[in-house]
Amino acid sequence: FSMYIRPKQSTASIIFIGHVDHGKSTVCGNILVLTGQVDQRTIEKYKAEAIKNKREGWYLAYIMDLNEDEREKGKTVEIGKAYFSLEKKKFTILDGPGHAGFLPNLLLGACQADFACLIISAKEGEYEAGFEKSGSTKEHALLAKSLGVNKLVIAVNKMDEESVNWSEKRFNSIRNSLFDYLKKIGYKEDDVHLVPISGLFGDGI
């Protein structure tokens, strides 16, 4: 009967962190679509709702942002939670808010996470806004490290955006500046993995 028994799955939780509007909820939503957790009918419903709210490109974020206020304003407030499974592992996704005003909610999610995925927008100006001055990129990476999340995936999002157009030069520039900072706060190079992605179209996810 062993062929009928599913092997025991290990579990892991991963929190998605990063500056506001860099695409955390969209990436999370697309992961759920690509792993078959969301049916086509539901996707079409979210597309119609996003068009109604004049946020056509946000429909994947609606999979995670269930609160009506979050959808209308286009920002995550609560920690979104969802699940997907691979053959040997079951994952819990935690979608953290990017706005500084909701930092306590982010901390609550980060305390539960085994891994963190730092979402970075490669779009011209957006990476800089998140990484410099009052941006949340550095703060979120530091919080994850402080809370004992030692394994970090960096998803360099919006690589498909026209100001980037999958530029290797742009990707490498972001990688170099991020690695300089991450080393300073205690991350080891072997514990950080960078991937170029398009959260909207699913490339690299």
Side-chain angles (χ1 to χ4, degrees):
F1 293 103
S2 61
M3 70 181 75
Y4 300 111
I5 300 171
R6 187 173 185 176
K8 188 175 180 182
Q9 289 176 301
S10 60
T11 60
S13 58
I14 180 165
I15 186 163
F16 288 77
I17 58 178
H19 191 64
V20 61
D21 290 341
H22 280 207
K24 295 180 295 298
S25 297
T26 294
V27 171
C28 290
N30 215 343
I31 287 172
L32 296 177
V33 170
L34 293 170
T35 55
Q37 311 304 306
V38 186
D39 61 70
Q40 192 58 39
R41 187 175 176 183
T42 302
I43 293 169
E44 293 303 324
K45 181 184 119 182
Y46 289 149
K47 280 183 178 179
E49 193 174 337
I51 290 169
K52 179 184 167 188
N53 288 337
K54 297 181 180 175
R55 297 182 181 276
E56 291 181 48
W58 294 62
Y59 73 96
L60 289 165
Y62 285 12
I63 296 169
M64 295 301 296
D65 290 339
L66 300 177
N67 182 303
E68 201 63 41
D69 194 46
E70 289 179 319
R71 291 181 178 180
E72 285 181 12
K73 293 180 180 177
K75 63 181 179 182
T76 302
V77 175
E78 303 290 338
I79 286 282
K81 187 181 278 192
Y83 307 91
F84 73 95
S85 290
L86 301 178
E87 188 179 347
K88 295 181 180 179
K89 196 177 288 285
K90 181 176 181 180
F91 286 91
T92 301
I93 290 178
L94 302 165
D95 178 22
H99 285 266
F102 306 115
L103 189 59
N105 294 347
L106 178 69
L107 287 168
L108 185 64
C111 287
Q112 305 171 51
D114 299 305
F115 307 99
C117 180
L118 178 63
I119 303 290
I120 299 288
S121 171
K123 185 177 177 181
E124 198 67 43
E126 285 192 357
Y127 168 70
E128 290 76 12
F131 193 69
E132 298 164 6
K133 296 180 182 178
S134 58
S136 302
T137 300
K138 288 180 178 178
E139 182 182 26
H140 285 197
L142 180 59
L143 281 172
K145 183 65 179 171
S146 301
L147 292 169
V149 182
N150 294 315
K151 299 288 186 182
L152 185 65
V153 174
I154 299 174
V156 183
N157 191 25
K158 305 189 186 182
M159 288 294 295
D160 57 300
E161 202 272 334
E162 60 183 30
S163 72
V164 184
N165 196 26
W166 295 95
S167 164
E168 187 176 356
K169 183 179 178 183
R170 176 66 166 166
F171 178 79
N172 287 337
S173 172
I174 289 170
R175 178 186 63 189
N176 292 339
S177 66
L178 275 173
F179 263 69
D180 285 346
Y181 175 71
L182 293 172
K183 285 176 184 175
K184 286 177 186 175
I185 64 172
Y187 276 104
K188 296 176 183 175
E189 200 160 330
D190 289 348
D191 292 333
V192 180
H193 303 276
L194 259 80
V195 285
I197 68 164
S198 165
L200 188 58
F201 296 105
D203 300 275
I205 291 181

